[in-house]
Amino acid sequence: MKIKKLFGCILALCFVFAGVNIFADVNNNKEVNIEELAKQLGNHSLLVYQKGQISFQDEHGIQPLLIQIEKKGLKKAIVVDKVIGKAAALLMVYGKVNRVHTDIIAKDAITVFEKHKIKFSYNKKVDYILNVKKDGLCPMEQKVKDTDSPKKAYKIFAK
């Protein structure tokens, strides 16, 4: 078993140095290509790759993350989300994700992932996540504006 894990780590490092977003899923002896997972997201709002299985959520906002945390958790998962702000990032850290990819990420989410050493990638960076009317801060972002605690963020949203 130790040899499999070592081989998986070496393989993952080779891909990182080659500039390819492929990760070894040593638990299931598979390689995971983050770009291929991102393509599978389609019209879904959230994709979670965990223990060799892919699951989707279709709710709006941070609801998909809350549902996933309550149903199956996010421990060691690879998550693909369309938009990630600070609220979503804190929930992902709370859930103990392994890797994240998103189309759009807010600067505050980057800070959260870097602080908690979560690997992430994105296509576009924005200053912050807007509300639906696009005239102010997203209400979910507003709720976590004054906290950096993943546990506190979960308590705020799990009510």
Side-chain angles (χ1 to χ4, degrees):
M1 188 63 165
K2 287 182 182 182
I3 292 173
K4 275 187 184 178
K5 285 188 179 185
L6 179 61
F7 177 73
C9 290
I10 291 169
L11 184 64
L13 282 174
C14 290
F15 286 121
V16 167
F17 288 118
V20 177
N21 261 332
I22 295 178
F23 300 89
D25 178 358
V26 293
N27 295 327
N28 294 296
N29 208 16
K30 292 181 180 179
E31 294 174 357
V32 181
N33 183 318
I34 200 83
E35 281 91 12
E36 289 301 317
L37 284 179
K39 287 178 188 175
Q40 292 183 46
L41 182 63
N43 291 326
H44 301 288
S45 55
L46 184 75
L47 177 151
V48 176
Y49 176 87
Q50 189 176 34
K51 299 178 184 174
Q53 303 275 325
I54 294 176
S55 60
F56 298 97
Q57 296 291 334
D58 294 318
E59 293 75 19
H60 183 70
I62 60 165
Q63 277 303 113
L65 286 170
L66 292 170
I67 290 167
Q68 184 69 30
I69 289 169
E70 291 171 15
K71 281 186 176 179
K72 297 180 182 177
L74 289 170
K75 192 170 185 177
K76 296 184 180 181
I78 298 172
V79 174
V80 179
D81 200 346
K82 291 188 185 237
V83 177
I84 298 177
K86 184 179 180 182
L90 287 169
L91 289 174
M92 290 179 193
V93 170
Y94 176 81
K96 300 183 181 349
V97 298
N98 185 44
R99 176 82 168 82
V100 177
H101 177 76
T102 187
D103 189 36
I104 299 170
I105 193 167
K107 288 181 182 178
D108 285 346
I110 291 173
T111 302
V112 169
F113 289 143
E114 287 174 345
K115 177 182 177 182
H116 294 278
K117 297 178 176 48
I118 303 293
K119 298 171 196 148
F120 66 96
S121 57
Y122 59 90
N123 296 329
K124 182 180 177 184
K125 178 171 57 171
V126 297
D127 289 333
Y128 53 90
I129 305 302
L130 296 171
N131 61 22
V132 175
K133 291 182 181 179
K134 306 221 183 293
D135 63 358
L137 191 63
C138 166
M140 301 303 112
E141 300 299 282
Q142 190 69 40
K143 288 182 179 187
V144 296
K145 189 173 86 173
D146 297 325
T147 187
D148 291 324
S149 166
K151 187 175 183 178
K152 187 172 181 182
Y154 178 74
K155 286 181 180 180
I156 289 169
F157 295 120
K159 292 179 182 179

